[in-house]
Amino acid sequence: MSTPRIALVTCADLPDLEPEDQPLLDALRQRGAEASAEVWNDPDVDWSGFDIAVLRSTWDYTENYAEFLAWASSVPRLVNPPNVVRWNSDKHYLQRLAEHGLDVVETTWLEPERNFDKRALHNRFPAREDFVIKPAVSAGSKDTGRYTATDADSRRYAIEHAERLLSEGRSVMVQRYIPEVDSVGESALIFLHGTFSHAVHKDAMLAPADDAVVDGLYRPESMSPHQATEAEIAAAQNILAFARARIPGRNPSSRPLLCARVDLVTPRSGTPVLMELELVEPSLFYSLATGSLERFADAILAEVRMGPDTHNIEMA
């Protein structure tokens, strides 16, 4: 077999990859591959020259969304594939999951074509406890803010936040803030080709009245190793099975995706609730799990060897 050529896809702000991903280049080279970091919208890159292009730190795509989707559809062998990117990069996927009975964080959807006035927005916010406002297409917790329902000033700021996003033509999510995010934190479970690899713990990122504006590509996260529970692994596997069967262009015969991250929080009820399903360019936190970098490198090379998934139709 000829030397595999592998592109790890990033953005112009991180041309050498995000620091956590940089060791992946050497791990792939040690396995006999030719690996390089490539900026997704660099016009000089010949994507046809790579055996596989692996999405990693393309975190500016929310600012160039239509261009990014068109680019993804043009790359000969992109993983995860374009139809998955299209479905998962818009958080309306959470609505699809909830409609099929999966435990998903409670969300109210505000669409720009509805032309909400201030009173209509006020009436769609929770009457008590904290809530979060974010755009449906976002990454790195940008344009995300936490507000307190019973505080008049906080509620006013929330209305202004939603109005700004809607005026930009962006769909808005209003999510109930689960208190256990503060007391327990979130669990992020990482899967490689459908097999559980490792998990990390994420501390709460949003304080009440946090400014929704983030300086940079993403809001910094506080992470630590985590021992996933059987309930968390079972919930994550159920969510991934749903996605595998129902993402447009995929069917149950499609092989599991190269990488996936399932972010969960477990409230007092004891049933894990999905916060986000990350299938586009999930951070995998290798430094917090011994052997995970090597497992991912092996999974990438296995993806090259297996060739295109003929049961996955990369829909334009």
Side-chain angles (χ1 to χ4, degrees):
M1 180 178 178
S2 60
T3 301
R5 292 199 66 211
I6 299 169
L8 300 184
V9 190
T10 184
C11 62
D13 289 307
L14 295 166
D16 299 317
L17 299 171
E18 193 269 337
E20 185 93 347
D21 269 326
Q22 289 171 2
L24 183 58
L25 290 167
D26 282 339
L28 290 168
R29 290 164 183 161
Q30 289 168 8
R31 286 160 172 76
E34 182 181 333
S36 59
E38 305 291 346
V39 174
W40 71 268
N41 53 357
D42 182 346
D44 294 328
V45 177
D46 178 11
W47 298 101
S48 66
F50 294 98
D51 294 286
I52 193 172
V54 181
L55 286 166
R56 294 312 306 136
S57 41
T58 55
W59 295 332
D60 63 350
Y61 75 82
T62 61
E63 301 165 12
N64 310 275
Y65 189 52
E67 181 187 355
F68 180 73
L69 293 182
W71 166 83
S73 294
S74 73
V75 177
R77 277 206 65 195
L78 185 71
V79 290
N80 289 330
N83 54 319
V84 175
V85 171
R86 188 175 299 105
W87 182 82
N88 187 240
S89 58
D90 185 328
K91 292 182 176 60
H92 280 91
Y93 73 81
L94 289 170
Q95 192 173 24
R96 307 287 92 79
L97 298 177
E99 288 169 351
H100 283 80
L102 278 71
D103 291 304
V104 174
V105 59
E106 182 181 323
T107 304
T108 297
W109 300 87
L110 308 176
E111 305 300 343
E113 61 268 19
R114 294 289 302 277
N115 296 314
F116 294 104
D117 58 22
K118 285 183 170 59
R119 178 176 293 277
L121 291 174
H122 173 84
N123 290 338
R124 282 163 175 78
F125 293 166
R128 55 187 177 83
E129 300 181 337
D130 286 4
F131 61 97
V132 172
I133 288 180
K134 66 174 74 169
V137 176
S138 65
S141 295
K142 293 187 70 174
D143 293 313
T144 298
R146 175 179 170 185
Y147 304 95
T148 300
T150 55
D151 181 279
D153 285 338
S154 185
R155 205 171 181 89
R156 175 168 57 83
Y157 295 144
I159 290 173
E160 292 173 355
H161 182 184
E163 283 186 316
R164 175 175 63 82
L165 295 175
L166 291 166
S167 70
E168 296 169 355
R170 305 170 77 180
S171 297
V172 172
M173 307 164 66
V174 182
Q175 295 184 318
R176 184 177 77 85
Y177 191 83
I178 300 176
E180 284 79 7
V181 173
D182 287 337
S183 60
V184 180
E186 294 182 42
S187 302
L189 281 69
I190 290 93
F191 292 78
L192 303 177
H193 281 143
T195 299
F196 174 66
S197 171
H198 59 287
V200 296
H201 174 271
K202 182 191 300 185
D203 290 335
M205 296 174 59
L206 298 174
D210 254 359
D211 192 334
V213 177
V214 174
D215 183 18
L217 288 174
Y218 55 89
R219 191 185 298 269
E221 298 175 314
S222 176
M223 314 296 295
S224 58
H226 174 65
Q227 183 69 42
T229 66
E230 291 184 7
E232 287 174 331
I233 294 174
Q237 288 173 330
N238 187 40
I239 291 162
L240 290 173
F242 174 94
R244 182 178 179 183
R246 294 177 177 85
I247 292 176
R250 295 187 70 80
N251 63 45
S253 297
S254 300
R255 66 171 175 255
L257 295 171
L258 169 64
C259 58
R261 199 184 81 217
V262 185
D263 294 350
L264 304 169
V265 63
T266 303
R268 283 191 294 269
S269 66
T271 301
V273 172
L274 177 67
M275 302 296 285
E276 288 201 15
L277 173 61
E278 298 278 0
L279 305 179
V280 180
E281 22 64 295
S283 296
L284 301 181
F285 308 110
Y286 322 107
S287 62
L288 298 177
T290 301
S292 60
L293 176 70
E294 291 74 18
R295 287 194 293 274
F296 190 42
D298 289 340
I300 291 173
L301 288 173
E303 186 79 19
V304 175
R305 289 193 299 270
M306 288 186 288
D309 186 352
T310 57
H311 295 287
N312 181 73
I313 305 169
E314 298 179 3
M315 300 173 66

